[in-house]
Amino acid sequence: MPTPPTPDGSATRRPPFPRRKMLATMAAAASAPSLLALSSAASAAPAASPPAAATGRSAAALPGGGDLGPNVLVFDPSTPGIQAKLDQVFKQQESAQFGTGRYALLFKPGTYHGLNAQLGFYTCIAGLGLSPDDTTINGDVTVDAGWFNGNATQNFWRSAENLALVPVNGTNRWAVAQAAPFRRMHVKGGLNLSPDGYGWASGGYIADSRIDGTVGPYSQQQWYTRDSSVGGWLNAVWNMVFSGVEGAPAQSFPDPPYTTLATTPVSREKPFLYLDGGNYKVFLPEKRTNARGTTWGSGTPRGTSVPLTQFYVAKPGVTAATLNAALDQGLHLLLTPGVYHLDRAVEVKRAGTVVLGLGYATLVPDNGVTAMKVADVDGVRLAGFLIDAGPVNSPTLLEVGPQGASADHSASPTTVQDVFIRIGGAGPGKATTSMVVNSRHTIIDHTWVWRADHGDGVGWDTNRADYGIRVNGADVLATGLFVEHFNKYDVQWYGQRGRTIFFQNEKAYDAPNQAAIQNGSIKGYAAYKVADSVTAHEGWGLGSYCYYKDDPTIRQDHGFAVPNTAGVKFHNLLVVSLGGKGQYEHVINTTGAATSGDTTKPSTVVSYP
């Protein structure tokens, strides 16, 4: 391994093929679903009554509000033993990559001293103020990689939101990989995105945040930052993308590989839970166009609040029928931490419905059903949960709008934010297409759609999943798109006027041979395929990597396949052969040099056509 970048940023050498999956044995994955002696202090309304199904009452009797359950831990500055509780959660979750434990650590407004909240798997930490500065931790919120020998490329499924941090040594460490958002944070110092020792890292995502000091990615291979403010940015490895970021480095792709857009075309921040006096509410930020900087830096954020009493507060064990009854009754859904098995789809039919997960609440569709379906209505907000494919093949896992959806939602789009999808890893799982977006104007704001390449239930046909995301709707925008390892196309885009800002992809590592991925006369399925019928599409900062570990002779014709027409435009593309295990012939269509050798050097295209 070459010498990593030094802390002062004087070196920015590229790491060798530092991908998580080619490294070593997994740490222990088992995890208990709850912590003994830890209980929630959250109760914003009278305790919820049993679901209607348990009492024989009609669906109309379902209550709103209620207790947030045992795996939501709520602290205030006077709570005794906060550090001990944080340490207990971390000890359980540190290496529990495919365990069932799920936790939300919530801090009431105020000032906290001397804390180091280390975050393991399926753990979210958040402040309960209306602004990040309402809740200040004089201390750190830390993600490191000691559990995996200093390699941060498997630090998935954790998040930090809505806090101000005053780091002990001036810099907070946030060494994460996919599905680990850093949202609505104020770091009164610097932010280090690499693990201790500057080991390998593969992230990540920042939005609506202010980092007063410098962000040091060091060994981070790729990163997307949206609608934020930074005091400086130290270096780049393969693909660093910024939109609407004050203080971002200037456009310079490919050397250094910075892609910088002055604004984000359309954005609407993720809903969040907060305390208004003693009452819990969910804040719904308003839509912004041509956004730049944070939503909260100049006073009270713009948007609306919904009291928790208008949410059905779901607990693991609830049935899909009860969730649907709550939705039909006009309630929103708050999914408390845990694993939910579904025997039918959760159906979101009402405009403006919010489905908000805490602590990586996980939906598992049983018997081949679709986990969630959204009607073709305005303003639905899906946020903060994981969908885990079941062992019986599901044709789809998440559907946004029915087939043929055509209504105009430009004034109030549906948003899909920090909604992650997994096929395999925690056990066998199968799905033909993971996410299908039919509704127009949908915003996909940070997702990781992952066919697992390690863990349990993993194999070319064991966790078969041909397609990652299929976009049929027009005018769809993706900001922060991570899609990996599908048997065929990772992304298929059929809708007109689609846009993607930042894309990270790896082709399936476990393809057994060239024939297994042959696409007619084309060698391999593109990572990102725009249909031939599309006449307008645009993308910025897109990368695809290959690591064909079982047959290094496999050739991939290209990472990106698009119509050759003036209205289809791409900016700042790259493909990478990780250690020479397979190669790309071109970057996009027949444009761009082939990768070669084992040097893990990107082949780039600055503009297409």
Side-chain angles (χ1 to χ4, degrees), residues 75-82 111-112:
F75 306 105
D76 65 47
S78 65
T79 303
I82 297 176
T111 301
Y112 300 77

Side-chain angles (χ1 to χ4, degrees), residues 133-214:
D133 288 332
D134 293 341
T135 310
T136 297
I137 293 178
N138 289 297
D140 297 271
V141 172
T142 302
V143 178
D144 206 343
W147 75 279
F148 202 45
N149 300 314
N151 168 16
T153 60
Q154 292 184 19
N155 282 348
F156 314 137
W157 305 306
R158 63 202 76 195
S159 66
E161 299 185 38
N162 204 30
L163 292 166
L165 303 178
V166 183
V168 170
N169 69 355
T171 300
N172 189 75
R173 186 183 300 279
W174 186 255
V176 298
Q178 289 76 13
F182 197 80
R183 285 186 182 269
R184 200 177 173 76
M185 295 287 288
H186 184 188
V187 181
K188 298 180 179 182
L191 189 63
N192 183 344
L193 302 179
S194 73
D196 186 28
Y198 305 99
W200 297 335
S202 176
Y205 176 90
I206 293 171
D208 200 24
S209 293
R210 176 179 172 183
I211 293 88
D212 293 342
T214 298

Side-chain angles (χ1 to χ4, degrees), residues 46 54 64 112 192 259 262 269 321 359 446 468 562 601:
Y112 300 77
N192 183 344
T259 297
E269 298 304 329
H446 189 228
V562 307
K601 182 178 179 180

Side-chain angles (χ1 to χ4, degrees), residues 50-107:
T55 64
R57 297 178 303 176
S58 68
L62 286 171
D67 179 79
L68 299 181
N71 287 12
V72 177
L73 310 180
V74 181
F75 306 105
D76 65 47
S78 65
T79 303
I82 297 176
Q83 187 64 56
K85 291 184 179 181
L86 297 176
D87 291 345
Q88 189 178 359
V89 174
F90 177 65
K91 182 179 180 180
Q92 178 179 298
Q93 298 300 113
E94 179 183 13
S95 59
Q97 183 171 176
F98 298 110
T100 56
R102 304 285 188 274
Y103 292 93
L105 312 173
L106 305 183
F107 287 76

Side-chain angles (χ1 to χ4, degrees), residues 16 24 33 44 65 71 94 110 193 197 216 266 305 405 431 447 488 492 517 527 553 565 575:
N71 287 12
E94 179 183 13
L193 302 179
V266 186
S305 292
T447 188
K488 293 184 179 179
Q492 298 171 286
I517 63 162
T553 68
T565 182
V575 296

